[in-house]
Amino acid sequence: MSPPPFAGAAGAPPRARVLPRFLTRLLAVVAVVLGTALAGPLPAARASVTLTQVSDFGSNPGALTMYVYRPASLPAHPPVVVALHGCTQNAQVYADNSGLPQLADRDGFLLVLAQTGSANNASQCFNWFQTTDNRRGQGEALSIRQMVSQAVTAYGADPQRVYVTGLSAGGAMTAVMLATYPEVFSAGAVVAGLPYDCTKDNSPYTCMNPGVDLSPDAWAQRVRDAYPSYTGPWPRTAVWYGDQDTTVVPRNATELRDQWTALHGLSQTPSRTATIGPDATRQDQYLAADGTVAVEVDRVPGIGHGTPVDPGTGTQQCGSTGAPYFAASICSSYWIARFFGLDTSDPGGGGTGGGGSGAACWTASNYAQVQAGRATTSGGYTYAKGSQQNMGLYNTFVTHTLKESPTGYYTIADSGCP
């Protein structure tokens, strides 16, 4: 999110607000200065990621633009990751710096990037805070939903493996999508965003800083109210925050945790805590009864407002600090892909998906199969969902191939798949 007035005057829809040209330029300069301070010195120019614009994806009531990054080698029926940029950014900037395209290449998923513009919001923010855009069936939320439908239809993507992530206003809009279309998204990752519908009775500025404290049940009810007839399951949700963020304060990470753990019927005490990455990011995980990670909170030390990236060629590295609001730290996109169950880089990742003859196949550790929702754990052992075949101990060392056929029913297929 950019400095005020990214949301327009109180009660005034940003689409109707036109700023003087000199003020618009001043805001842009301020945003660049703040972003550069967060991200550090700019490196040498690098080649831009090649995106394809999709012009016809539905009625598009939110007046958004759709871009797609399609890896050269894409498996049949690939997963879809929807990415939502932050204020003062666009789809190209997010693709060039977040690291998501290189992970799409490695892990075999289709990347869809939604883009808003100054006609919608003076600071190019998604309008997560206004009811014309954050409700099911209308505005920007519906436009993003239509992009998913287009990706499934045009690219043969798997509608059961659709995920969403975004930074700042894009992170807040990620929470909007998980709340308004929970049947569409299997999981989401909110980076420096806010709980859904905080602005129901608060200004955007209050929600951002100092934040709003509600009970877990009260937060959860706001999500239920977004789609009252929906009975679940709820999307799995990861939350990423810099612990020095003064734009969208870290209290919002706690409130997001409260909102989504309550929806999943879980305690607000983490099931397990670990330290990950080169900067000792604290990762708290909240496990569902079947052993899957329903909610995860990752608190990154020493950075402010932005997407954490770790430029380099290592397995757990990605991204660039070539634009404001990309902070050198940990490659959050790598860990987000892992949370989604898409990571194929090591035995602890999400597994390798394949297809053919009506079946999809996944090779991964027992731990990763459980994290991806293809298996469950009980008494220290792992069981394939559907068939309930015993896969052995629940750890990162035992690896199996699971065949999914029909959808949601898994059998061990170590000798070959399909």
Side-chain angles (χ1 to χ4, degrees):
M1 293 165 193
S2 63
F6 86 91
R15 288 196 183 102
R17 181 178 175 85
V18 179
L19 293 177
R21 182 173 298 178
F22 80 90
L23 183 54
T24 300
R25 289 177 177 173
L26 178 60
L27 285 173
V29 171
V30 171
V32 170
V33 171
L34 288 177
T36 302
L38 288 169
L42 298 184
R46 57 195 293 273
S48 294
V49 173
T50 300
L51 303 179
T52 300
Q53 183 175 346
V54 178
S55 58
D56 184 11
F57 58 88
S59 60
N60 191 18
L64 302 180
T65 305
M66 176 181 178
Y67 292 93
V68 169
Y69 177 76
R70 186 189 190 282
S73 297
L74 194 66
H77 312 301
V80 177
V81 174
V82 178
L84 307 174
H85 62 79
C87 296
T88 75
Q89 296 179 339
N90 57 33
Q92 188 68 61
V93 166
Y94 208 66
D96 288 346
N97 294 279
S98 65
L100 286 169
Q102 71 191 72
L103 291 167
D105 288 336
R106 187 179 74 191
D107 298 335
F109 60 82
L110 185 73
L111 181 61
V112 173
L113 299 108
Q115 178 176 295
T116 187
S118 56
N120 281 8
N121 182 287
S123 296
Q124 297 172 222
C125 309
F126 289 99
N127 290 321
W128 56 274
F129 47 85
Q130 60 182 28
T131 56
T132 51
D133 288 300
N134 66 12
R135 294 297 191 260
R136 183 179 176 89
Q138 61 190 51
E140 292 179 358
L142 179 54
S143 289
I144 296 168
R145 171 65 180 98
Q146 290 174 342
M147 292 181 193
V148 173
S149 296
Q150 173 67 13
V152 170
T153 300
Y155 295 89
D158 185 350
Q160 302 302 314
R161 292 186 294 154
V162 178
Y163 311 91
V164 59
T165 186
L167 164 68
S168 192
M173 201 68 191
T174 294
V176 169
M177 298 312 298
L178 296 176
T180 56
Y181 293 99
E183 81 283 15
V184 173
F185 298 98
S186 297
V190 178
V191 183
L194 299 99
Y196 175 69
D197 213 16
C198 179
T199 52
K200 176 181 179 180
D201 44 16
N202 299 280
S203 78
Y205 309 103
T206 300
C207 292
M208 293 163 60
N209 188 350
V212 173
D213 182 21
L214 296 180
S215 71
D217 287 342
W219 279 126
Q221 189 59 47
R222 296 197 179 195
V223 174
R224 294 188 189 100
D225 290 344
Y227 187 7
S229 62
Y230 185 71
T231 58
W234 296 104
R236 300 167 55 245
T237 304
V239 179
W240 282 79
Y241 260 83
D243 69 359
Q244 303 301 309
D245 195 335
T246 57
T247 302
V248 182
V249 296
R251 169 187 256 180
N252 285 290
T254 301
E255 303 304 315
L256 275 161
R257 177 207 65 188
D258 289 355
Q259 187 168 63
W260 290 93
T261 51
L263 281 166
H264 284 276
L266 301 177
S267 165
Q268 284 70 58
T269 301
S271 306
R272 60 190 180 208
T273 297
T275 300
I276 61 171
D279 59 355
T281 290
R282 172 176 166 162
Q283 183 180 80
D284 292 335
Q285 294 183 326
Y286 303 80
L287 305 186
D290 63 2
T292 59
V293 181
V295 179
E296 179 181 287
V297 180
D298 297 274
R299 300 178 189 271
V300 185
I303 69 167
H305 193 63
T307 298
V309 296
D310 183 13
T313 59
T315 298
Q316 296 184 11
Q317 291 183 293
C318 73
S320 167
T321 56
Y325 306 113
F326 293 94
S329 180
I330 182 175
C331 172
S332 56
S333 292
Y334 164 81
W335 291 95
I336 287 168
R338 186 186 179 104
F339 176 79
F340 290 165
L342 303 177
D343 174 45
T344 63
S345 62
D346 60 28
T352 301
S357 302
C361 302
W362 311 89
T363 302
S365 70
N366 281 355
Y367 171 83
Q369 300 283 23
V370 170
Q371 300 309 297
R374 297 185 286 269
T376 61
T377 182
S378 177
Y381 287 87
T382 307
Y383 299 88
K385 276 192 175 180
S387 68
Q388 293 302 306
Q389 290 176 303
N390 190 327
M391 299 166 59
L393 292 173
Y394 175 53
N395 58 34
T396 60
F397 305 105
V398 179
T399 298
H400 286 291
T401 297
L402 292 181
K403 178 175 71 173
E404 182 184 14
S405 182
T407 300
Y409 188 93
Y410 298 89
T411 55
I412 298 175
D414 293 339
S415 60
C417 185

